[in-house]
Each structure stands twice: as C-alpha cells, then as structure tokens.
Amino acid sequence: MAAAPARPRAPSAATVAPPAKRKKKGPPSRLRALPVLPAAGWSALPPDLVRRVADCLLATNDLDCYMDFRAVCSGWRDATDDPRSDPSDPRFRPRRWVILLDEGFQLQSDADGVDGGGELLLLLNAATGRFIRKRLPLLRRYYVVATTLGGLFVLADRNPSHAARVFNPLTGVLVRFAAPVPAEKELSAFVKSDSSGFWPLLGLLCASSRRPCVAGPDDESFFYGGYKAKEYPNYNSARMAVAGGLYTNDGTTGFVAKSEGWFPKICDLIHVNPHQEDVWRFLVELGGQVLIVVRLRGRVKVFKYDDAEPVPVESVGRHAIFVGHHRCLAVDADRFPSVEADCIYYIDRRGLSAHICMYSLRDEKEERVSGGAVDFVKPHKLFVLVADRPFTVIQLLCNYTINARDSQLPLKEDADNFDKKGF
C-alpha cells in the first residue's frame, strides 16, 4: 500500500531579534549651563591696542569717530592724544571733508535778530564717501565768515573787535586770532602752513577789493603783502587755487604766478581764443598733482602742472572731478556708486536756471545727468536745487561747487548802520 504523501511543513517563522528595552520615561535631562563669563573689560584694553585702533581712525581722517572713541572711558583718553593739546598736529586737521549746504544747514536767528549760523550740518568725507550730520551750537556764538575746502570754519567774534577764529567741526578745537576779520561781503578762505611748517596761517581773498591777506594767531592785523591799496595782479588764479584746495603750503604762490602764463598756451594747444566767453578754467588737486580743467562749450580738456609747460591728461582713472566757480574737488568714484569714473561734472547755466552735465573723458561726450527740465534756479545770488528730494550725491556735490554763502559780518554792520541812520 502506497505511503501517504508527506504533509507540507508550515514555513518556519523568521528569526526576530527581541525588542530593545525602552528606557523609562522621566523628566528631560537638564542642559548643562555654560559658565557665566565676566563682562568684557573694554576699559582695561592694553594702551598699545587702543592706540592702534585710534591710529586706524586717524589714517582715514575720520576725526569724528576718533573723538567718539576717546569719549568711551578715561583709560582710552589717557592712551590717545588730545587734539586740543596741539592744534597744529597734522593728524587732527580735516583734509578731505566737505561741508555741504543742504536743507539741514539753515541760518537761524538769535535773540538779537541776526543770523547766527546753522546748528545742523551735513558733512562728507570725500576720501571715504561717508556722510555725517552734526549739530554745532557753537556757531551761534560767532559770525560765520567762510568755510575752507578741507572742512574748517572761519568765524568772527561777536565782540566789536571781530577777531578771527578757525574752528574744526570734527574735533571742536577753536584757534583764536588777534587780527580782526575784514568787513568784506564775499571772502574765500584757506588755512595753510608757512615755509617753516608753522600752522595755522589764515588766508583770505577779498572779492570786492581783489586782494589777498594772511595772518597768524598772534598778528594784530592781516598782512596784505604790498597790495593793501591796490589789486593783486594774479587774483583770478589765486581764487581758483583756493577753490581747488591748492593753498596748503607755502609753495603755492609760485605756481599761481606761473598759471597765469599757462592759460594762453593751453588755448593754443586746443585752438581756442582765451578771451571767449564760453571758455572756463579751473584748478583742482588730485593725488598730489595739480590739474587744470578747461571747459568749453560741449567738451572738456584736462592738463597737469609741469615745471616746463602744461601736459595734456587723457584720463583721470577711477576718479571723477566736480568743478564750479567757487569750489572744485576730485573724488574716488568707487566710493560713490552713482558717480561715473573718468568724468567731469559741472553745471550748464542758461539764464536764471541750470542743469548738471557730465563729460566723459574716455568717450569724449557730454550728456545731461538728470532728466528734468532744470536742476537749479537762481532767484537771488545762490543757486537753489529744485530737483526732487532726497537729493543725490551728484546734486549735492554740484551744489557745493557753485554756491558759497556771504560773510555774516557785513550783514551785521549793515544792520547796525540801518539802526543808527535809519537807512
């Protein structure tokens, strides 16, 4: 008898590892707290390290930051030099600062009803592109006479002597002069060193009498150098040198005399008549080099100062130059995103209005910067920006080159005469 077929085995269960034992749920373990570190002892920094940081601020001429740095604590003040101890120290002189007369700089009236100087200023470090706003109540105690291209104020005492003062708005240092300020309505000012390195010497160019004068802190009066009773023959070149920031040392006088004879040579090179009304010339300092900018109708030519004769300049590299009747300056276009490199900026005046133009040295083309009908109008003596706010950097810099406020001192004397005589 046949054997019955074997019954198939049920598949054996797969071998399964026993479940892992679970830890009992309990309160979550506490995070280990880090040890509390003591507060950073900033005031205890080594003096050498403090001085290194301060030197970095002085290297960029950020004098306002240097003063804020010294104000942190007494230890930092002890480790750094006080600008008030030696105002002649070149480290504490503003070099490339621009005092912009924007909407924040408004002449405010004091208790006597006389304009005493605006308290709020907009300043620009033209070397770094940094803007700051600063309140200066001290200006209300003096008459504002002029400002220098580097960023200094020239003031006159409100006492009857009207003695001159030079004020550094970034350090607060005020240098007192014994000489009274000339009662001229329009003054161009510069502060320089003499041939021996003595600083400061305050120089003024008087527009109405076309005379230069200079005084040291201890001089009883300004020295006119033989031109007290007559005009200075090189006045125009001297004014352009002051506008371009060239009066920084005692060697500028010889250059001013030479530049008078250069202009006809330059006009011969570019085939124009130097006596044409549409030929303008400007002087500007760029990297220690003196440049002569000649603006014609629709084109601009640039030359550099040379001992023998003017040399044409085809490019100013990454820089841009802003020129105007009152001031000229060169800036690094890399620091100002809206400014085009290798270009000359100026305003083209048409009657009582004007617009901003830019001339490319690379392309040799002129173009208007803004799309509006006009950028400036001139209701009185000063040009007024009529563009939409906020103003651009280009508009502010062009405004800076073409506008200069009159000295407040003659305004005060005119008011006194009116009170006494009734006219």
Side-chain angles (χ1 to χ4, degrees):
M1 169 171 155
R7 182 179 299 177
R9 294 183 179 182
S12 59
T15 305
V16 179
K21 295 182 179 181
R22 295 182 179 178
K23 294 183 179 180
K24 295 182 179 180
K25 293 184 179 180
S29 58
R30 294 181 179 178
L31 296 176
R32 182 181 299 177
L34 296 175
V36 178
L37 299 177
W42 294 108
S43 60
L45 287 177
D48 180 63
L49 180 58
V50 173
R51 283 192 292 270
R52 289 188 180 186
V53 176
D55 289 342
C56 292
L57 299 175
L58 292 177
T60 55
N61 206 229
D62 288 317
L63 301 178
D64 60 313
C65 296
Y66 178 83
M67 299 302 293
D68 293 341
F69 183 80
R70 295 190 75 248
V72 170
C73 62
S74 60
W76 291 15
R77 287 191 292 275
D78 294 339
T80 54
D81 295 329
D82 187 353
R84 295 172 296 181
S85 62
D86 184 11
S88 64
D89 192 328
R91 297 177 301 165
F92 304 128
R93 304 177 201 168
R95 294 190 299 269
R96 299 277 295 160
W97 284 90
V98 173
I99 302 173
L100 296 171
L101 305 183
D102 73 329
E103 71 276 11
F105 187 85
Q106 300 294 334
L107 298 179
Q108 302 177 7
S109 299
D110 62 3
D112 298 329
V114 180
D115 287 336
E119 292 184 2
L120 182 62
L121 292 178
L122 177 65
L123 296 99
L124 165 66
N125 187 332
T128 63
R130 187 169 67 90
F131 286 87
I132 63 170
R133 287 188 177 273
K134 197 169 183 66
R135 289 195 175 275
L136 298 172
L138 180 138
L139 295 183
R140 297 178 64 86
R141 295 159 48 189
Y142 296 91
Y143 297 118
V144 178
V145 174
T147 59
T148 69
L149 189 62
L152 295 171
F153 276 90
V154 178
L155 310 174
D157 202 322
R158 285 183 175 268
N159 294 328
S161 65
H162 300 319
R165 304 285 187 262
V166 172
F167 176 57
N168 186 333
L170 299 171
T171 63
V173 172
L174 184 73
V175 180
R176 301 177 182 274
F177 289 72
V181 175
E184 293 268 355
K185 190 174 183 180
E186 184 178 338
L187 291 168
S188 301
F190 59 93
V191 179
K192 69 169 187 173
S193 303
D194 63 10
S195 57
S196 63
F198 175 79
W199 190 93
L201 289 179
L202 172 60
L204 299 174
L205 286 179
C206 307
S208 61
S209 58
R210 297 176 64 85
R211 298 174 302 170
C213 57
V214 64
D218 299 329
D219 294 333
E220 295 297 328
S221 61
F222 278 86
F223 176 66
Y224 287 85
Y227 297 101
K228 191 169 185 179
K230 60 181 180 179
E231 292 185 3
Y232 180 50
N234 298 326
Y235 174 81
N236 288 333
S237 292
R239 183 191 57 77
M240 287 187 289
V242 172
L246 305 181
Y247 265 106
T248 56
N249 55 63
D250 196 55
T252 313
T253 305
F255 163 75
V256 169
K258 288 182 180 180
S259 64
E260 285 290 331
W262 284 354
F263 187 56
K265 294 182 180 180
I266 292 175
C267 291
D268 289 341
L269 291 174
I270 58 180
H271 308 293
V272 297
N273 184 348
H275 303 292
Q276 290 180 217
E277 294 184 356
D278 56 352
V279 178
W280 301 269
R281 55 173 168 153
F282 310 92
L283 300 178
V284 64
E285 185 272 336
L286 175 59
Q289 182 71 55
V290 177
L291 300 182
I292 305 170
V293 179
V294 180
R295 182 197 154 201
L296 310 168
R297 185 65 65 185
R299 61 191 178 111
V300 177
K301 296 295 182 181
V302 181
F303 297 83
K304 67 179 180 179
Y305 166 71
D306 188 84
D307 291 336
E309 59 183 14
V311 178
V313 175
E314 303 296 334
S315 172
V316 292
R318 68 174 190 269
H319 295 90
I321 298 176
F322 290 78
V323 296
H325 178 71
H326 289 287
R327 302 180 185 93
C328 304
L329 74 158
V331 300
D332 187 343
D334 291 342
R335 302 289 184 177
F336 301 91
S338 61
V339 176
E340 295 287 340
D342 207 18
C343 290
I344 313 295
Y345 289 85
Y346 49 90
I347 72 160
D348 186 16
R349 181 177 175 180
R350 303 296 174 123
L352 296 179
S353 64
H355 52 260
I356 300 173
C357 290
M358 177 188 74
Y359 184 84
S360 172
L361 294 177
R362 180 179 58 253
D363 301 331
E364 297 185 349
K365 292 182 180 180
E366 179 191 64
E367 64 177 275
R368 289 181 56 174
V369 173
S370 60
V374 295
D375 296 294
F376 296 91
V377 295
K378 192 176 183 181
H380 303 291
K381 182 178 180 179
L382 297 179
F383 285 91
V384 178
L385 271 169
V386 294
D388 295 333
R389 299 186 182 187
F391 298 139
T392 67
V393 173
I394 294 175
Q395 291 168 338
L396 288 174
L397 289 177
C398 287
N399 180 70
Y400 175 75
T401 63
I402 62 174
N403 281 325
R405 294 184 179 272
D406 290 338
S407 170
Q408 294 176 354
L409 182 56
L411 299 178
K412 167 62 177 174
E413 294 191 347
D414 291 343
D416 292 343
N417 292 332
F418 182 84
D419 293 337
K420 293 177 181 179
K421 301 179 181 180
F423 60 89

